[in-house]
Amino acid sequence: MRTREGNKEQAILEAAVKVFAESGYHAAKIHKIAELAGIATGSIYSYFQNKQQIILAIFDGVWRQLYQQIAVVEQSTEIPVIQKFDAIIDMVLDLFTEDKDRALVFVNEENHVMRDYPQEFTPYFEKFMVTGEEIVRQGIKEGKFTEGISIEILRTYLLGGIRSLLVAWATEPKKYPLSHVREDLKHFIRHGITRQQP
Amino acid sequence: MRTREGNKEQAILEAAVKVFAESGYHAAKIHKIAELAGIATGSIYSYFQNKQQIILAIFDGVWRQLYQQIAVVEQSTEIPVIQKFDAIIDMVLDLFTEDKDRALVFVNEENHVMRDYPQEFTPYFEKFMVTGEEIVRQGIKEGKFTEGISIEILRTYLLGGIRSLLVAWATEPKKYPLSHVREDLKHFIRHGITRQQP
DNA sequence: GCTATTTTTGAACCATGATTCATTATTCAA
DNA sequence: TTGAATAATGAATCATGGTTCAAAAATAGC
């Protein structure tokens, strides 16, 4: 018998994130991922069925983490609703702080992955969304958020804005320092662009 | 001598938008674009150097239109700054109202096109951004917009939110009716989620 | 109608790169 | 120490699809 040495699956995933971030999913070459992971090309296939399963696994990992965290926030009765949004921002930014490449893959590839393999896309995505909407509903109920707005539209808008900033930061960290992004983002979400009356 | 019949270049672009929207740039097949355009595969290449020039042409068209329109808005002394944002929203949504496919290509493919062919990407993109920032600066100067925020961050956030909503609408128009998207978007941009005091 | 010129055609070419699989290496249990 | 049994290898396979190009078709001027 021969046993598997090391955590190759993890190594592959990490290598894949790097390569996908750099060249995009389609241009990414399996042999390059293998090289980066320090294994042979063929070995990839004893850990993943094929290329698409690799990217699906990456998204599963990200959304699983995000869902677990938003679930905690949602449940909390300590935090005022309005601050739950802050917590979500922090949580998303923190998740990617140490890993720009993951941020890039997360933002750049999601659209086509969801389109191309809708059946196999991680269920944590849906769960995350539902939970987020729950928070918004809570805020409206408490009279803290504007009523009459569409929750769907709000969440799509916010997520889009956040994503866009993630790419910007990951691509040009100097120009978009995370600390500023964090603060400005929280401000815009709460108050929009209109100046606050003193 | 033989003269070219019809506007094949236009036909190719329109077909390409459809095909890119449906399958994404990478999975899109040239022969399918040709078929849709009603010409032979090889003919594509007497109008465009290659596949990438086609998608670059699509982006050039969109950003040119957007730039021309934002330039008019920016110049206007009639419209109050705060309403210039409304005008921009209207202008973007109107541009895509008749063409969901163009919206999808615009949002889904831009990231990788800009990354893969940064040199050849339309100059109207930059021009649009600069003009947009000019409007924000104007708003801050007039004391209408919050000061102390990063214009770069703001514009990235807004654009991301808008794009995200465009895809949502183009993919599920029933769930995201353009009229609602339009109103809610304007509201969020101005006031964020916090409830307005009566 | 005829010819020169340009457009259009679409089958063939060819590069690319994901995936396979026969071979080799490694480990554990006996 | 030996030999199943499984892991790892990477060269070969094979499908895909962008691009080319020789041939055919269409047009305008004569």
Side-chain angles (χ1 to χ4, degrees):
Chain A
M1 246 271 281
R2 181 180 186 177
T3 50
R4 299 186 154 181
E5 348 125 359
N7 192 345
K8 298 237 173 71
E9 188 171 324
Q10 198 49 38
I12 292 170
L13 285 176
E14 279 165 26
V17 165
K18 274 211 182 69
V19 178
F20 288 156
E22 179 158 338
S23 5
Y25 176 76
H26 279 98
K29 284 146 210 166
I30 292 284
H31 95 96
K32 195 159 184 194
I33 295 175
E35 190 182 26
L36 243 181
I39 59 176
T41 307
S43 302
I44 300 254
Y45 290 86
S46 58
Y47 290 87
F48 295 92
Q49 255 183 290
N50 50 37
K51 199 178 172 184
Q52 59 167 272
Q53 294 305 320
I54 300 176
I55 193 132
L56 285 168
I58 292 172
F59 277 104
D60 187 66
V62 174
W63 282 114
R64 167 179 282 134
Q65 286 188 61
L66 288 176
Y67 168 65
Q68 281 167 353
Q69 297 188 48
I70 202 178
V72 174
V73 172
E74 197 254 323
Q75 288 303 319
S76 165
T77 50
E78 311 268 301
I79 317 169
V81 206
I82 195 97
Q83 279 174 37
K84 289 192 177 178
F85 270 84
D86 293 354
I88 295 172
I89 301 304
D90 285 333
M91 150 192 137
V92 175
L93 297 192
D94 289 346
L95 179 61
F96 293 111
T97 303
E98 300 300 327
D99 201 343
K100 294 193 176 61
D101 288 333
R102 220 147 74 112
L104 284 172
V105 175
F106 177 65
V107 179
N108 287 332
E109 313 298 335
E110 188 163 271
N111 273 341
H112 80 259
V113 174
M114 284 189 77
R115 181 185 51 213
D116 294 349
Y117 328 116
Q119 299 308 320
E120 313 174 63
F121 200 77
T122 178
Y124 292 105
F125 173 80
E126 249 331 278
K127 283 162 155 266
F128 180 94
M129 291 307 161
V130 170
T131 312
E133 289 175 11
E134 202 40 62
I135 295 177
V136 176
R137 244 179 249 111
Q138 198 183 335
I140 294 175
K141 204 166 156 193
E142 292 183 14
K144 299 282 186 351
F145 298 168
T146 312
E147 23 181 8
I149 50 141
S150 154
I151 295 181
E152 301 272 322
I153 293 179
L154 172 59
R155 77 130 204 247
T156 305
Y157 171 69
L158 292 182
L159 221 67
I162 294 172
R163 274 166 211 237
S164 192
L165 280 170
L166 271 177
V167 187
W169 160 74
T171 317
E172 302 178 85
K174 292 271 166 51
K175 198 165 161 191
Y176 299 87
L178 214 48
S179 54
H180 289 188
V181 169
R182 200 183 288 264
E183 290 320 305
D184 287 1
L185 197 42
K186 289 177 184 174
H187 182 90
F188 292 140
I189 292 176
R190 284 197 191 194
H191 306 117
I193 55 169
T194 312
R195 183 174 173 209
Q196 294 301 104
Q197 294 312 324
Chain B
M1 245 272 281
R2 181 183 186 178
T3 48
R4 298 185 154 182
E5 348 122 2
N7 193 345
K8 298 236 171 73
E9 187 171 325
Q10 199 50 37
I12 292 170
L13 285 176
E14 279 165 26
V17 165
K18 273 213 183 65
V19 178
F20 289 155
E22 179 158 338
S23 8
Y25 177 76
H26 279 99
K29 284 146 211 168
I30 292 285
H31 96 96
K32 194 160 184 193
I33 295 175
E35 191 183 26
L36 242 180
I39 60 177
T41 307
S43 301
I44 301 253
Y45 291 84
S46 61
Y47 290 87
F48 296 92
Q49 255 183 289
N50 49 37
K51 198 178 173 184
Q52 59 167 272
Q53 295 304 321
I54 300 176
I55 193 132
L56 284 168
I58 292 171
F59 278 104
D60 188 66
V62 174
W63 281 114
R64 167 180 283 132
Q65 285 188 63
L66 287 176
Y67 168 66
Q68 281 167 352
Q69 296 188 48
I70 202 177
V72 174
V73 172
E74 198 255 323
Q75 288 301 319
S76 166
T77 50
E78 311 270 300
I79 316 170
V81 207
I82 195 93
Q83 279 174 36
K84 289 193 176 176
F85 269 84
D86 293 354
I88 294 172
I89 300 303
D90 285 332
M91 148 191 138
V92 174
L93 297 192
D94 289 346
L95 179 60
F96 293 110
T97 302
E98 299 302 325
D99 201 343
K100 295 192 176 61
D101 288 334
R102 219 147 74 112
L104 284 173
V105 175
F106 177 64
V107 179
N108 288 332
E109 312 298 335
E110 188 165 271
N111 273 340
H112 81 258
V113 174
M114 285 189 77
R115 180 186 50 210
D116 294 349
Y117 330 115
Q119 299 307 321
E120 313 174 62
F121 200 78
T122 178
Y124 292 105
F125 173 80
E126 248 332 278
K127 282 162 158 268
F128 180 95
M129 291 306 160
V130 170
T131 312
E133 290 175 10
E134 201 42 62
I135 295 177
V136 177
R137 243 179 249 110
Q138 197 183 335
I140 294 176
K141 204 166 156 192
E142 292 183 16
K144 298 282 183 0
F145 297 168
T146 311
E147 22 180 8
I149 49 140
S150 156
I151 295 181
E152 301 271 324
I153 293 179
L154 173 59
R155 80 130 202 247
T156 306
Y157 171 70
L158 292 182
L159 222 66
I162 296 171
R163 275 167 211 236
S164 191
L165 279 170
L166 271 178
V167 187
W169 161 74
T171 317
E172 302 176 88
K174 292 271 166 54
K175 198 165 160 189
Y176 299 86
L178 214 49
S179 54
H180 288 188
V181 169
R182 200 182 289 262
E183 290 320 305
D184 287 0
L185 198 42
K186 289 176 183 174
H187 182 90
F188 292 141
I189 291 176
R190 285 197 190 195
H191 305 118
I193 55 168
T194 313
R195 184 176 173 206
Q196 294 301 105
Q197 294 310 325

